Structure formats: structure tokens, C-alpha cells
Amino acid sequence: MSYTGLRALVLANTRGTPQLVSGRRLRSTVASTNIQPEDPPVKEKKKEQQLDDVTASPGSKTLQDAPPCYAEVDFNNTKEAYRSKDNVELLRSMFVFKLCTFDFLVDKNKELMAISKKVFGQRLFERLMKMTFYGQFVAGEDHESIKPLIRKNQAFGVGAVLDYSVEEDLTQEEAERKEMDSCVSEAEKDSPAIDREKKYKAHRQFGDRRGGVISARTYFYADEAKCDLQMETFLNCIRASGGSSDDGFSAIKMTALGRPQFLLQFSEVLVKWRRFFNVLAAQQGKSGMTALEQTLDLDQLKESLTKFGVGAQRDIDNLLIREKLGSSGTIDLLDWNSLIDDTTEIANLLMVPNLESGKLEPLLKKFTAEEERQMKRMLQRVDVLAKHAVQHGVRLMVDAEQTYFQPAISRLTVEMQRIFNREKATIFNTYQCYLKEAYDNVIVDVELARREGWRFGAKLVRGAYMYQERERAREIGYDDPINPDYEATNRMYHKCLEFILEEIEHNRRANVMVASHNEDTVRFTLHKMREMGLSPTGNKVYFGQLLGMCDQISFPLGQAGFPVYKYVPYGPVNEVIPYLSRRAQENRGMMKGSQRERSLLWKELKRRLLGGQFMYRPLY
């Protein structure tokens, strides 16, 4: 990702301390892409455990104190996988998953729920939902009602990522109107002919960002007061997470915290500066390299920057001296990122290089005072959430979103990591591995963390917006950002994961959440952890799955001592219907592609009944 003077703006609004630069990394940025779908027998000598350089809290175990745990995790052992479920819960899971295989029920699930509400009445409808879909995928209506489930899961080694899953149930027309109103600046409204890149402009035909998305919440901007309310909701989740476990997670979305117009604008700026670096690298014969392998000759760079009007030769020399760059005679991408203007005026951050004119030009001709205030309030909301997470001992995961928002979201997240990830990884960025640029993004951010001495935190996902992204790229006319097929995405996921695991192995300052329902990916992670001598008790590698799904992965991991978490949605029955609708659609794909989970549930229920456990109740 590119890095501009937005850093100074974030620091100005968060009152963060200046960041210190440490030495550069020495190891290679190239990771193997070999995928091991099964765990091979371990014959090699276990590696010596390395001690984390962070002082352990009183009473806690250090990595040196805790012996490595390499117990085999059996995802076929139904007795262990479903120990936390009584027989009624097993039957409910089988019933719900079976319903998800029927196309008619899934496609018409909202209409059928609306009819059911009218036929049965509100009270009976809620009871039926709690006996079926709501009971399967949602923990409860509020912070109090979810506590029994959280305590039970913890007793079986599974933590929680709290997620208040209430969404507006907007019509498509309402969603499109809100999106267009909030994504178009006043300058663009006054001058529709402003030259913006197609990818980073709002398009009404894709204004409803829920289209084709089944596994991610969607927020639409209404006003600043609504953003404040959504921030309060996130604060409540953080407080609840802190109260439910000693080391919990909470998830947030940037589009809930401010006007998406700014995410579009800054994403375009960041991408154009990154593209400018690539052009300069190509001029110096450095095309076709990974992001950190590209380096610019300092003298040639000075000449090019002067030609492009970035500044006079003298100003450029002074800038390089001030930033203490180029001592090796070359500048890489991270050095380049630190060169950009450090002003706190938002309007000045919107300057981008025009490769045709050879000059710096404003992305927009004007930026209103109210728009600048709105942007600063977005940054302040993010800051409040980060500080609250630190205060309550909770790790904050920033969810990924569409590619036209994502550069700005990642940039803001990295800035928060630079401030709040000094002692431990509090802020986690999310990397979507179905993106072609995922690996480059990971290695650049890991390198920045290593140079500056903060803790890298990542959540790896495959991605939630593939169909929407492909269609938008095709219809509007820009390069498809998604990997060509599922296997390419798998390779990318494993490549990014292996690189982060190597970083953990080398200095223990990185952290990763393997957010996946894919058993092969989980086995790959376990194999690599064993191979590298990474102990589960080191709390550097976490696993995550959704509540109500893939218990055969989550609970065996938790009972074997691995840090594993369920995404725990909660909220009133009527208000989580959009969430439940997506779960039905997601399960439709999973259940039709594989009957594995249903067969495991039936296997365990049959084992209990044949063994006389007709009234099985979990003990904890």
C-alpha cells in the first residue's frame, strides 16, 4: 500500500507520539507456495522456543515456560468436536443445514420470514427463530443474554469475537440513493466533468454494496450523528469483549465511522502515488519485481522528481536529508512513502502526479470546510475505538471492504498500528487473499512494522466481495482485482500465511488470525507451526470461524490448546434478519458443495443414541 502525509493528519487527530525507526530487515521476502493439505508425521527435532521480547504480565507464562504443544488435532473425532453441544443442538444444526440446501428456501428467505411473522405473530415468530436459524447463528439479543454461550464456549477452549450484527433493512433504491449522496463530493456535484478514475468514483448501478455479498455487513452513510451511534455500538462491543475474556477480539468497519467519499478519494490518491513509484521504477529498469525488491537510484530519482514538478532540486535534497533517506544510494517503496507531503491540511493530501503533464495536480479543485471536519471526525472515532480497546485489553480487528475503499482503510489501520501496537498487537488489519496484490500488501506492511519496531497484526481471509468486484470491474472498465480462480486464491492465502509465520518464527513480533473454514488451510497452518516450533501457548497464531459453523474445526483446536475464536453475532431477532439471510446463503454454498458437516453431526448423534446418551448434557 502507498503511504502519504495522511500519517501526520492521523497523528494530529489522535495526539500520538512520534514513531521511531529501527534497523531494516535482513530476511528474504520470498515465501514458499507449497501447500501441505495433510499434517505429515513429525520426525524432526523440535525447535528451541524463542522468548518474546515483551515482558510477560504477572502470573502469565512466557514462551520459554510453556512447552510446545504438538498434539494431533483430529477433525473427524465427533465426540471431541461436539462435546459442548447437547442432542437438541445437534438436531437443530442438522435441520438448519439441511434447509440451507434448498434453493427456494434460501432465495426467498426474507419473504418467507416476513410471511411467518404475519401468520404466527411476533412472539411465536421469535420463538421459532430462536429454535432454528437465530439459535444456530446468533448468540443472543444483548450483552447479558450472550454471556452463558460465551462462558460455555470458553470452557471448551473457544473464545469470542463479538459482533453486533444489526443492520438497516434498506430497499435497493434507498441504498443507491444513500451511496450516491455520501460518495460524491461537493466539488464533483458542482463540476461533474472532474477527471476521476472510474474505479474510485461512485456508480449508481453498484450503489447498493450488498449485491452479491453474503458474508459481510454493509453500512450506508446517513449523517454524522448516525456514525456516532455506530461508534457507540462498537464501544459497547469492546467493553463486552473485555468483560467476557482476558484476551478477546472485537471487529469494526471503517464505512460505519464516516463518509465513504473520503475513503474513495484517499484510495485514489494512494493508488496514484504507488503507480507513480512503479513508473519511476520501470524507467530505471525495475519492472516485474515484488514490491520491496524495487529500489530507485537516488540520483535518477532526484532528476525525475524535479522533472515532475514535485519540487526544486534544492527542496528535494533537503527533504531527503530531513527524512534521512537514501544513505545507501537507493530508495525503496517504504522510503518513497515517507517522502510525501506531511502537512495536516487534507486538501494538500489530494495532490496526485499527472503522468501526462508531468506535474502535481489536485484530485479535486476544492475541499469544503465541512468535508474536512467530517474527515477529521472519522479519524477521531477510529482513535476513540483504539484507545478504548487498549483500555479494556481487547484486540481490535478492522474488517476489509471493497477494493475501491480498501487502500484508505488499510492506510488508516496501519497508522493506528504504528501508534497503538507498540507493546502488543492491539490493532489487526485484514488482508483479502483473493486479491492479486495481497502478498505485496502483506510484505510491505510487515517490513514497515519491522523497521519501526511495532507489532504487526493481521487477519487473513479469502474475501467476501468477489462476485460484486468482478462484475463492477467488467461493467465499468478496469482490471479485475481478483485472482483468476479458487486455487490461485488458496495459493495466495497460504503464501501470505507462510510469510507471516516466518516473521513470527524470526522475531515473535507478528500476530495472525487464520480466519478460515477450510480444513486444508487449518492443517497447513498446524503443519507450519509444528515445523517452525511455534507453540500454541505463544499466542501469536489464532484461528477464527463463525458461530454455528465448522464446530468440527473450532472445538478440537480449542481443546488441543490452540487459540481459537468464534465470531459471535448478537442483536434483537427482528434486527438481525439481514445477517441471518446471509448466513442461509453462505451455508447453501457450503452445504451443497459438501455434506461433511451434516454427516459428522449425524455420526455423533448416532454414537450417543447407540451408547444410551439420550439426554446428553455438556459438563463444564
Side-chain angles (χ1 to χ4, degrees):
M1 288 295 169
S2 301
Y3 298 87
T4 72
L6 183 59
R7 177 186 180 191
L9 181 61
V10 172
L11 291 174
N13 282 279
T14 60
R15 301 177 297 282
T17 55
Q19 312 299 308
L20 302 178
V21 178
S22 63
R24 302 194 179 195
R25 68 185 291 123
L26 297 177
R27 76 179 182 87
S28 169
T29 60
V30 178
S32 161
T33 58
N34 293 330
I35 297 177
Q36 303 290 337
E38 299 292 336
D39 288 330
V42 180
K43 298 180 180 179
E44 63 267 61
K45 184 179 180 181
K46 297 174 184 176
K47 295 187 180 180
E48 206 174 297
Q49 292 297 296
Q50 302 177 38
L51 191 62
D52 194 320
D53 57 355
V54 179
T55 304
S57 58
S60 67
K61 293 183 178 181
T62 65
L63 292 176
Q64 194 174 48
D65 296 328
C69 173
Y70 297 122
E72 289 293 333
V73 181
D74 185 0
F75 298 131
N76 294 303
N77 187 336
T78 60
K79 181 179 179 180
E80 292 302 312
Y82 300 116
R83 279 178 58 203
S84 66
K85 310 291 182 187
D86 62 32
N87 291 348
V88 173
E89 288 175 301
L90 294 184
L91 284 168
R92 182 187 65 196
S93 296
M94 293 172 61
F95 177 67
V96 169
F97 291 155
K98 181 62 178 178
L99 289 179
C100 290
T101 64
F102 295 107
D103 289 335
F104 174 77
L105 295 179
V106 174
D107 292 336
K108 301 295 182 181
N109 69 85
K110 284 189 177 182
E111 293 89 341
L112 291 172
M113 283 190 277
I115 293 171
S116 299
K117 193 186 302 183
K118 290 179 181 179
V119 171
F120 296 112
Q122 182 64 33
R123 184 174 297 181
L124 185 54
F125 170 75
E126 289 189 5
R127 176 174 286 187
L128 289 172
M129 290 298 292
K130 288 179 179 179
M131 291 171 61
T132 54
F133 285 92
Y134 184 94
Q136 180 70 21
F137 300 119
V138 182
E141 299 202 39
D142 53 38
H143 298 121
E144 288 301 315
S145 63
I146 66 177
K147 286 181 179 179
L149 176 64
I150 291 175
R151 282 196 293 266
K152 182 175 79 167
N153 284 352
Q154 283 182 321
F156 292 94
V158 177
V161 181
L162 294 193
D163 187 8
Y164 190 65
S165 296
V166 169
E167 300 176 30
E168 287 184 283
D169 195 8
L170 301 174
T171 66
Q172 181 177 338
E173 292 73 21
E174 289 172 328
E176 289 174 354
R177 177 179 53 78
K178 285 193 172 188
E179 186 75 353
M180 297 306 295
D181 287 346
S182 61
C183 286
V184 181
S185 69
E186 291 302 318
E188 290 174 290
K189 290 175 184 177
D190 293 341
S191 304
I194 287 177
D195 185 24
R196 294 281 306 281
E197 287 204 13
K198 290 180 288 187
K199 181 176 181 177
Y200 301 100
K201 289 178 65 176
H203 298 269
R204 184 172 294 278
Q205 68 191 102
F206 295 99
D208 187 353
R209 288 182 275 111
R210 299 168 300 180
V213 177
I214 61 172
S215 57
R217 285 172 300 153
T218 303
Y219 291 93
F220 293 93
Y221 180 84
D223 51 40
E224 292 298 296
K226 185 67 177 292
C227 292
D228 286 337
L229 285 175
Q230 286 165 173
M231 180 188 72
E232 287 298 325
T233 296
F234 291 145
L235 289 173
N236 289 335
C237 280
I238 291 170
R239 286 191 285 269
S241 295
S244 65
S245 66
D246 295 331
D247 214 7
F249 283 92
S250 192
I252 67 170
K253 272 185 178 283
M254 286 287 187
T255 49
L257 300 174
R259 195 180 182 96
Q261 163 199 335
F262 308 117
L263 298 176
L264 280 175
Q265 291 169 340
F266 280 106
S267 290
E268 183 172 354
V269 171
L270 295 167
V271 167
K272 283 186 173 180
W273 276 105
R274 172 71 171 269
R275 194 179 298 153
F276 187 27
F277 176 86
N278 291 337
V279 167
L280 296 173
Q283 289 177 352
Q284 297 189 20
K286 304 293 179 61
S287 298
M289 299 180 178
T290 64
L292 289 178
E293 289 173 336
Q294 288 182 321
T295 57
L296 304 178
D297 177 81
L298 186 59
D299 291 333
Q300 294 182 53
L301 173 62
K302 290 178 183 179
E303 182 180 336
S304 296
L305 291 178
T306 303
K307 178 182 176 182
F308 274 100
V310 175
Q313 184 76 47
R314 183 176 180 180
D315 294 333
I316 294 170
D317 289 339
N318 290 336
L319 179 63
L320 293 173
I321 292 171
R322 185 186 70 195
E323 296 289 345
K324 299 179 182 178
L325 299 173
S327 58
S328 64
T330 61
I331 284 182
D332 66 11
L333 181 60
L334 293 180
D335 295 327
W336 169 257
N337 293 333
S338 68
L339 289 175
I340 312 303
D341 185 15
D342 63 359
T343 179
T344 59
E345 291 293 326
I346 291 179
N348 290 335
L349 295 179
L350 295 176
M351 299 296 290
V352 294
N354 185 320
L355 300 182
E356 293 181 2
S357 67
K359 301 292 181 183
L360 286 179
E361 298 176 354
L363 184 69
L364 299 175
K365 299 301 180 185
K366 65 178 181 179
F367 202 68
T368 68
E370 176 57 25
E371 287 173 330
E372 182 152 347
R373 282 192 293 270
Q374 289 172 350
M375 178 61 189
K376 288 183 177 179
R377 283 197 289 267
M378 176 189 281
L379 297 178
Q380 289 163 355
R381 291 181 190 109
V382 175
D383 178 55
V384 167
L385 291 170
K387 287 178 177 175
H388 215 65
V390 171
Q391 179 184 346
H392 287 82
V394 173
R395 289 163 294 193
L396 200 61
M397 293 194 298
V398 181
D399 285 340
E401 304 192 45
Q402 285 88 349
T403 54
Y404 43 92
F405 292 138
Q406 194 55 43
I409 292 171
S410 290
R411 175 64 174 142
L412 284 169
T413 305
V414 165
E415 292 304 337
M416 292 301 148
Q417 289 179 317
R418 295 169 105 168
I419 298 168
F420 296 102
N421 282 15
R422 288 289 160 178
E423 299 301 322
K424 60 179 286 189
T426 296
I427 311 296
F428 278 60
N429 208 346
T430 300
Y431 298 87
Q432 300 174 104
C433 294
Y434 66 10
L435 296 179
K436 296 173 183 176
E437 62 179 14
Y439 182 68
D440 275 355
N441 294 341
V442 168
I443 65 173
V444 167
D445 290 350
V446 167
E447 173 65 6
L448 184 66
R450 189 175 175 91
R451 289 187 190 181
E452 296 185 346
W454 45 270
R455 308 292 167 132
F456 176 80
K459 178 177 73 170
L460 293 183
V461 299
R462 278 174 170 78
Y465 306 98
M466 182 180 73
Y467 299 111
Q468 183 188 101
E469 292 275 13
R470 283 203 195 283
E471 185 181 0
R472 191 176 188 269
R474 182 177 63 252
E475 290 295 322
I476 295 173
Y478 57 86
D479 291 340
D480 184 352
I482 309 296
N483 285 320
D485 52 44
Y486 185 74
E487 285 308 312
T489 294
N490 277 347
R491 289 192 295 271
M492 180 66 77
Y493 194 106
H494 289 222
K495 184 178 182 181
C496 292
L497 174 57
E498 185 174 359
F499 180 80
I500 298 172
L501 292 175
E502 286 179 357
E503 187 68 14
I504 296 172
E505 179 189 23
H506 277 74
N507 62 29
R508 305 281 171 172
R509 295 175 67 86
N511 300 258
V512 64
M513 163 75 80
V514 182
S516 176
H517 294 154
N518 186 302
E519 280 190 26
D520 284 346
T521 290
V522 174
R523 293 179 192 278
F524 173 82
T525 308
L526 299 178
H527 165 62
K528 287 297 176 184
M529 289 180 69
R530 182 185 296 113
E531 189 179 73
M532 296 176 182
L534 301 179
S535 169
T537 57
N539 280 327
K540 298 294 183 182
V541 183
Y542 315 96
F543 298 87
Q545 290 85 38
L546 290 166
L547 182 70
M549 296 173 66
C550 294
D551 287 344
Q552 80 277 9
I553 294 177
S554 306
F555 286 90
L557 283 172
Q559 291 163 44
F562 290 88
V564 59
Y565 294 80
K566 286 288 194 183
Y567 264 74
V568 177
Y570 65 98
V573 175
N574 282 329
E575 297 180 48
V576 299
I577 284 177
Y579 174 83
L580 291 172
S581 176
R582 291 202 312 271
R583 290 286 73 77
Q585 293 179 45
E586 184 167 5
N587 274 284
R588 187 242 306 265
M590 293 184 66
M591 292 302 114
K592 287 187 117 177
S594 171
Q595 296 185 357
R596 174 168 167 72
E597 192 159 2
R598 279 189 292 134
S599 66
L600 289 174
L601 287 163
W602 171 239
K603 177 182 175 183
E604 174 57 15
L605 183 61
K606 187 166 60 173
R607 186 194 68 79
R608 290 179 187 179
L609 296 178
L610 291 175
Q613 295 178 300
F614 300 105
M615 302 297 293
Y616 174 85
R617 290 287 184 274
L619 299 176
Y620 59 97

